[in-house]
Each structure stands twice: as C-alpha cells, then as structure tokens.
Amino acid sequence: MKSITSRDNPQYKELKLIATSAQARRKAGRTLLDGVHLCEAYLQHLGQPELCIVSEVATDDHEVSPLLAQCEQKNVRCISLPEALYQAISQVENGVGIMFLIATPEPVLPNAISETSVALDNLQDPGNLGSILRSAAAAGVKNVFCSPGTAFAWSPKVMRAGMGAHFLLNIFENIDLEEVLSKSNIPVLATSSHTTKTIYQADLSQAVVWLFGHEGQGVSDNLMAKATHTVTIPQQAAIESLNVAASAAICFFEQVRQQLK
C-alpha cells in the first residue's frame, strides 16, 4: 500500500479537489464515499472502487481492516494518509478513517417509464434529497430522475443522508423532466394543497411516477401539467406544509401498504 505524506502530492491534490468542490466532482465524474457503511454497501452492491484511501491510524481498525483486505484481494489501488491529511479531505466528523474514490454511476436512460419512479424538480437541500433516496430504496422504487436544478445526488452530504440507498437505485441527473414524463407509461402523481383527493383515496396498486418539487415553491407549473393525478396528505391546519422528504416517505409507503393487501 502506497503512503502519501505530502500535501503537494498530485494525487492528493486531486482527491482534495474532489472532496471539496461540487464542480470538480461533476467534471471528473467521480466522488468519494466516506466511512465504513458506504464503503461496505458499495462493495456489496456495485463492486470495487477505483481507489481505497485510509488514514494511517485506521489501518488496523476492526472495521477498516476487513474492507482493506477485500480491496487488496481485488487488486484495488490503496493509499494511506497521515491523519492530518486524511481529515483535510474527509467530510465526516469523528469518522473511522476509510473512503473510496468511485466513478459516478451513469445508468442508461429508459425509453419509457414503466416501473415505480420518482421525479425531482429543483430539489435544493442535500439532506432532503438523501432522505428521499433512502425512503425510495426502502420502498422498492427503481428510478430517480433529477432536474438540472436539483442538488447533486453524489455529493458527500447527500450520500451520508442516503446511507447506501444510492447503490440500490438508478439515479439520472440533469434530466429534462418534461420529456421524461411525456414518455411515462404509468400514472404521474404530484402532491398538492389545491386538491381534495387524499393520498389514501388514490389507487396505488399499480406502478406510478411520484413528482416532488422545490422545498419552497413546489413543482413548477409546466411539470404539474404533466401530472395525471394530484393528491393531498391530510394534516392539521396549524402546520402550513410537510417537509418534502416526509411527504415523499408517506407517499412511498402508502403505495407499499396498498400493494401488500
């Protein structure tokens, strides 16, 4: 295993840029998985990373050493960093000390939508996006379509909130949602406060596309026109609206409930 000890090392500089710049991650088509859980999930579901990075103080850690051994068995390049250099690129406070450099997955866009999917219009908050991805994976959703204004799904904050959900989903970014929804073979459902039909009255026994929008502005008018149905989530009048991630989870698992009947 190669040891890098200088901040001026070209490979370290590249890693630090990817760790700290969303623009650099998008341009490189790469991102960092930080922490044992994400690294374990990646090995389990998608295979081997391009590079394994460990802190020198973590090489003998009981959680890190098995992952390091797996990488070495698969001939994955591994490097160690002094703790100070490692912490400069880690986004996790009090982390264990391992991360993977991976190529950002780029699934092939389907010609038409026939499986339960989610379309996200200009969703801004990384925590909300990660939570929606986690709920979607748990509920058996297959595809997630993200508009150009939606937060980068493979950013460290989104991945931490997703807790490995990324590796169970087909995530499509910078997508023209109007075009994609026009090709849907299944109903498109959007939540709205301007309708009386509740989520519990909707027929969710079949596959649907769920459409969610910006935290403050909601779904844009042009995309709302693509919805075949609008539904509302009943709630107390004292609360203006639910958080979009909470709304999505309610919708996903009401569909799960109906399909389990």
Side-chain angles (χ1 to χ4, degrees), residues 97-164:
I98 185 169
M99 62 179 76
F100 286 170
L101 176 70
I102 66 163
T104 304
E106 296 182 354
V108 177
L109 193 67
N111 293 325
I113 309 177
S114 56
E115 299 177 299
T116 291
S117 304
V118 183
L120 301 174
D121 175 30
N122 205 29
L123 196 76
Q124 300 284 291
D125 184 81
N128 282 336
L129 177 53
S131 294
I132 288 174
L133 296 179
R134 188 175 181 182
S135 295
V141 172
K142 300 300 182 183
N143 303 311
V144 180
F145 302 98
C146 302
S147 73
T150 294
F152 183 43
W154 296 91
S155 72
K157 287 183 179 179
V158 177
M159 287 191 294
R160 287 202 301 276
M163 292 292 289

Side-chain angles (χ1 to χ4, degrees), residues 10-220:
Q11 187 172 34
Y12 180 77
K13 285 184 175 181
E14 181 182 3
L15 290 173
K16 189 169 183 181
L17 192 61
I18 290 173
T20 56
S21 168
Q23 183 179 3
R25 287 190 290 271
R26 288 181 184 270
K27 184 177 180 180
R30 287 172 173 76
T31 193
L32 288 167
L33 308 181
D34 200 336
V36 169
H37 180 81
L38 287 177
C39 292
E40 282 179 338
Y42 189 85
L43 287 172
Q44 179 181 354
H45 297 293
L46 292 186
Q48 58 193 58
E50 292 187 7
L51 180 69
C52 174
I53 306 112
V54 295
S55 168
E56 287 179 350
V57 300
T59 53
D60 294 326
D61 182 271
H62 72 282
E63 291 182 296
V64 172
S65 55
L67 294 176
L68 190 57
Q70 286 186 60
C71 288
E72 291 173 338
Q73 289 170 5
K74 296 179 179 181
N75 295 316
V76 174
R77 289 187 301 127
C78 301
I79 62 171
S80 66
L81 301 174
E83 180 67 3
L85 266 63
Y86 183 91
Q87 290 302 327
I89 62 173
S90 175
Q91 303 291 311
V92 178
E93 291 186 18
N94 303 315
V96 177
I98 185 169
M99 62 179 76
F100 286 170
L101 176 70
I102 66 163
T104 304
E106 296 182 354
V108 177
L109 193 67
N111 293 325
I113 309 177
S114 56
E115 299 177 299
T116 291
S117 304
V118 183
L120 301 174
D121 175 30
N122 205 29
L123 196 76
Q124 300 284 291
D125 184 81
N128 282 336
L129 177 53
S131 294
I132 288 174
L133 296 179
R134 188 175 181 182
S135 295
V141 172
K142 300 300 182 183
N143 303 311
V144 180
F145 302 98
C146 302
S147 73
T150 294
F152 183 43
W154 296 91
S155 72
K157 287 183 179 179
V158 177
M159 287 191 294
R160 287 202 301 276
M163 292 292 289
H166 288 67
F167 313 134
L168 300 173
L169 298 162
N170 297 317
I171 302 173
F172 305 91
E173 298 195 278
N174 297 313
I175 297 300
D176 183 335
L177 295 184
E178 285 192 68
E179 182 179 349
V180 165
L181 295 180
S182 295
K183 297 177 181 178
S184 178
N185 294 329
I186 54 179
V188 178
L189 271 68
T191 56
S192 171
S193 59
H194 305 295
T195 187
T196 57
K197 187 174 185 179
T198 73
I199 186 68
Y200 308 112
Q201 294 168 328
D203 180 7
L204 304 176
S205 59
Q206 62 180 315
V208 302
V209 180
W210 294 105
L211 175 58
F212 301 103
H214 183 275
E215 287 85 350
Q217 301 164 8
V219 176
S220 62

